[in-house]
Amino acid sequence: MNYINLLKIAKNALMRNKFRAFLTMLGIIIGVASVIAMLAIGQGSKKSIQDQMSSMGSNLVFIMPGSQQRGGVMMGNSSSQSLRMEDLEAIRLNCENISAVSPEVRTSGQVVFGNENWPTSIYGANTEYLGIKKFTIESGRIFTEKEISSLAKVCLVGKTIVEKIFPKGVDPIGQTIRFKNIPMKIIGILGEKGENSFGQDQDDLMIAPYTTVQRRFLAIDFIQGIYTSAVSEEKTEAAIAEMKTIMRKQHKIAKPEDDDFRVMSQSELVKTFSSISDILTTLLGAIAGISLLVGGIGIMNIMYVSVTERTREIGLRMSIGGKGRDILMQFLIESTMLSVVGGVIGILFGYLISSVVGTLMGWPVVIMTESVVVSFFVCSAIGIFFGWYPAKKAASLNPIDALRYE
Amino acid sequence: MENTIIEVINLKKDFQVGDMTVHALKGVNLKIQKGEFVAIMGASGSGKSTMLNILGCLDKPSAGDYKLDGISVSELNKNELAELRNAKLGFVFQSYNLLSRTSALENVELPLFYNNKVTSRERKERAIAALESVGLADRMHHMPNQLSGGQQQRVAIARSLVNDPVVILADEATGNLDTRTSYEIMELFQRLNTDRGKTIVFVTHEADIARLTSRNIIFRDGWVVKEQLVEEKLLASYMLKTLPVGEHEA
Ligand SMILES: Nc1ncnc2c1ncn2[C@@H]1O[C@H](COP(=O)(O)OP(=O)(O)OP(=O)(O)O)[C@@H](O)[C@H]1O
Ligand SMILES: [Mg+2]
């Protein structure tokens, strides 16, 4: 049998049953596309969470006041006044695994310029804060050490504030805005950071010297958090351990249960949220697996039914001189054509759906090569096998039995 | 004998249905000469189709010998049988067995697809010639469902002719057709027999049709009970003229 003839026979047979061919391909298309899209969505969400987490800061390790027990009474975190500048200085001096450290104090209130006002938060920090939290300065400058020690009424503002309270064309730098009725001079504008994974606007803030926020806005002498950058991601664990030791020494705590602070790191947060999206990916993967299965069963069904229906055709082909292997090759070519074309269309659809969903959700599209390869081969294998197997059965019949088949 | 094209010796065929064995052929001896037009007749269930299927190498006998054109068929394997069918045999079935949604031309071309020696150009030319010889040149691109029963059977005959077989086997080829169309089909077979020298084995249970052939072999209960030459062979073209007027041509 020559192959050109076989190809023509298979092509003609497919064209004769376009609808059946389409249904078979549909099973493959749905199977392949859903696996690719589902896994891409799962991976995309994971990647997006990781990206956003890493935009929070560079190898961030931070200390928050923790619940304290005083004489058996649990005190809330927020009321805790356990963190002080002395702790920060001790960490700066003794902690070898960090490259930067800054205090944080914050409060929220209304910011006013001219007739416009906007609710926002002010963060008090030192000069290292921007680097730790991955803020950039778009224009202007950061405050100086001198401005920190003199409780200067200067601040940097995020893009959102500029948009909300400044009319177009006005350069905010050098302008004085009022926050909680205290005039603050703008010395710099922060680069845009966008929303984080919780939908929080990271450009809606002011940053001022921590002394200013502590004394002028809050009238406190403690700090609300200590933010540091570990020297590298690998050193994060070591930095945490060091900080705990230093803090316990500072606070004269003997047992870890008595800690009045909590040390957390960005990588821990990333892990926590990644594991959540791993669950999501697994779930989506399971759904995709089910659609692959359903698609596969659909393929089997149509292939099986069509071969049963085509047993008479097989009988006729044999009666006019078709050999068993010609018949088999014909069905094999037919089902390979369907599977491959369906698989390719499925891959295209998978990409399309992933990128549409990715765009809608603002996620990066992470298409896993494994999912493309596995789904393509699973579907093709199912398609080819169930095209081939019933045909093999039919081709092994006596021609007359195939012709008479009902 | 030089001229014997089909020789069947003590041929038996049993079918197993559950624990019952049906003896469809019980020991048939047959000889058919080149150029003969033979009708196989007999009551329903007498084994005519079973015989024809074996003659056509579509089925294998349970015992006995069958020689087609000097070749002992029982010694051939499946692939050789397929080649034999492709090279030497043409089939016409009662139910036409055309591929649906496939044009008349493609249906007729089909046997040549399984013949490596035929180029695609030759394939097409021979299919067109076969369709012309059955008078369907103008229906080449029609699908089976756009053709009458008689026309579909003509396509099937063209298909059986296209590989230029030595023997054409027809199982109740007129069984689904009315009298006039049956005669028209028979006219075609007679022409193939006389003009082109094709050996034809034709199963029927209509005596009228059998009289249009040259020899009748009568089966009963798995045996050949009678063989007779047709004394005055009638011409189908003549029979067509005897049909009452008013019944117009198809
Ligand atoms: N595939 C089969 N399995 C079992 N029995 C069969 C099979 N084919 C034929 N038979 C039996 O063999 C006998 C002969 O059948 P066959 O089809 O040859 O009859 P026939 O002479 O062609 O009849 P008809 O004129 O009705 O077509 C019948 O009894 C039938 O039941
Ligand atoms: Mg019969």
Side-chain angles (χ1 to χ4, degrees), chain B residues 115-185:
Chain B
N115 184 344
N116 273 341
K117 293 182 200 91
V118 180
T119 64
S120 69
R121 178 134 159 249
E122 201 186 339
R123 179 169 68 226
K124 196 158 186 181
E125 283 167 4
R126 281 170 67 172
I128 292 171
L131 276 169
E132 274 166 358
S133 73
V134 299
L136 279 181
D138 54 338
R139 299 292 154 91
M140 225 145 54
H141 299 294
H142 287 218
M143 302 293 156
N145 61 353
Q146 296 165 329
L147 296 169
S148 73
Q151 288 168 335
Q152 288 185 55
Q153 194 61 297
R154 281 164 192 262
V155 174
I157 293 170
R159 182 180 64 196
S160 75
L161 280 176
V162 76
N163 56 345
D164 199 23
V166 288
V167 180
I168 293 177
L169 302 162
D171 193 352
E172 301 195 33
T174 57
N176 285 356
L177 304 173
D178 64 23
T179 315
R180 174 176 291 276
T181 318
S182 297
Y183 283 138
E184 283 167 2
I185 294 293

Side-chain angles (χ1 to χ4, degrees), chain A residues 46-57:
Chain A
K46 181 173 174 175
K47 176 108 197 315
S48 116
I49 288 173
Q50 284 172 344
D51 287 353
Q52 305 234 345
M53 287 279 170
S54 65
S55 79
M56 268 175 34

